């Protein structure tokens, strides 16, 4: 089901922008939160996660969890980082890890999370990262769409907009 909540649209112009935006969002994060990171390969999902993790006080280098189901990092909050790009990752998370993960403490960030949307609670922040179309250059710009789905994040909609502050583009659509 596609979320119908209002979206916040932002534009970042560098890796640092995307990390800073993610860092601002991490300041709003609470244990039990779920974020779905959606976007093509190279759009910036892992980059976003790195900024998010740093803001939680995680000093460890965050990389894509390619060979493990979920990586766990300890900061102000526990961070669970998943990537369900590959079919075997999807089936593994659906067969084994998901209920336990959703029950555990901390924040969950799932790259390609839209692939398992139907198995997730309807209560998450969707972070959509897209390249700018018709853009031969500069290649470092990304549109970042924030869609709060369900009560947890909708209650923080104003804070979300404030967190995206300097990168906001136009009114929510
Ligand atoms: P994904 O996890 O979505 O596949 P990554 O975060 O691994 O993407 O890679 C994003 C790539 O795009 C990196 O090489 C990064 O340096 C580059 N990049 C350029 N501009 C941006 C930006 N504004 N935000 C995020 N990444 C960017
Ligand atoms: Mg990635």
């Amino acid at each position: 089901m596609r979320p119908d909540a209002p979206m916040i649209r932002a534009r970042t112009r560098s890796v640092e922008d995307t990390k800073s935006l993610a860092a601002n969002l991490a300041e709003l994060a609470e244990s039990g939160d779920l974020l779905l990171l959606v976007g093509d390969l190279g759009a910036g999902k892992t980059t976003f996660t790195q900024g998010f993790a740093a803001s939680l006080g995680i000093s460890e280098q965050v990389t894509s969890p390619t060979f493990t189901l979920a990586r766990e990092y300890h900061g102000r909050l526990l961070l669970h980082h998943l990537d369900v790009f590959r079919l075997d990752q999807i089936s593994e998370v659906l067969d084994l890890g998901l209920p336990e993960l959703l029950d555990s403490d901390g924040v969950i960030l799932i790259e390609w999370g839209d692939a398992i949307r139907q198995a997730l609670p309807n209560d998450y922040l969707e972070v959509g990262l897209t390249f700018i179309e018709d853009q031969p250059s500069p290649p470092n710009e990304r549109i970042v769409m924030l869609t709060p789905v369900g009560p947890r994040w909708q209650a923080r909609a104003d804070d979300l907009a404030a967190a995206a502050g300097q990168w906001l583009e136009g009114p929510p659509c």
Side-chain angles (χ1 to χ4, degrees):
M1 182 180 80
R2 279 299 304 173
D4 54 11
M7 283 194 256
I8 293 162
R9 184 183 158 99
R11 180 189 296 246
T12 65
R13 295 187 163 79
S14 66
V15 167
E16 285 315 314
D17 274 0
T18 298
K19 286 185 179 174
S20 300
L21 172 52
N24 286 357
L25 295 174
E27 287 179 17
L28 306 177
E30 300 165 6
S31 185
D33 283 344
L34 174 63
L35 286 87
L36 271 52
L37 306 183
V38 179
D40 291 343
L41 210 58
K45 300 179 295 297
T46 301
T47 301
F48 179 97
T49 306
Q50 289 166 347
F52 194 95
S55 174
L56 292 179
I58 291 159
S59 51
E60 211 175 326
Q61 176 67 28
V62 171
T63 56
S64 271
T66 311
F67 299 109
T68 48
L69 184 59
R71 281 185 193 256
E72 215 178 80
Y73 301 92
H74 294 260
R76 173 175 75 79
L77 299 168
L78 192 59
L79 173 65
H80 303 279
H81 181 206
L82 284 80
D83 186 319
V84 292
F85 175 58
R86 298 193 326 254
L87 282 175
D88 60 322
Q89 292 169 318
I90 294 177
S91 53
E92 194 179 350
V93 84
L94 293 180
D95 291 348
L96 300 170
L98 197 58
E100 188 188 330
L101 189 76
L102 291 169
D103 258 358
S104 65
D105 288 337
V107 185
I108 305 172
L109 265 64
I110 310 180
E111 296 193 31
W112 304 97
D114 51 327
I116 57 166
R117 197 195 300 275
Q118 76 288 347
L120 296 171
N122 222 9
D123 206 0
Y124 54 81
L125 178 66
E126 181 161 326
V127 179
L129 291 143
T130 47
F131 301 94
I132 318 265
E133 279 171 38
D134 304 324
Q135 182 201 257
S137 68
N140 292 343
E141 297 197 0
R142 300 287 188 275
I143 297 296
V144 184
M145 300 280 245
L146 304 177
T147 308
V149 178
R152 291 186 72 95
W153 284 100
Q154 280 176 2
R156 284 172 271 175
D158 291 346
D159 293 335
L160 285 174
Q166 72 185 98
W167 302 283
L168 276 183
E169 277 215 323
C173 51

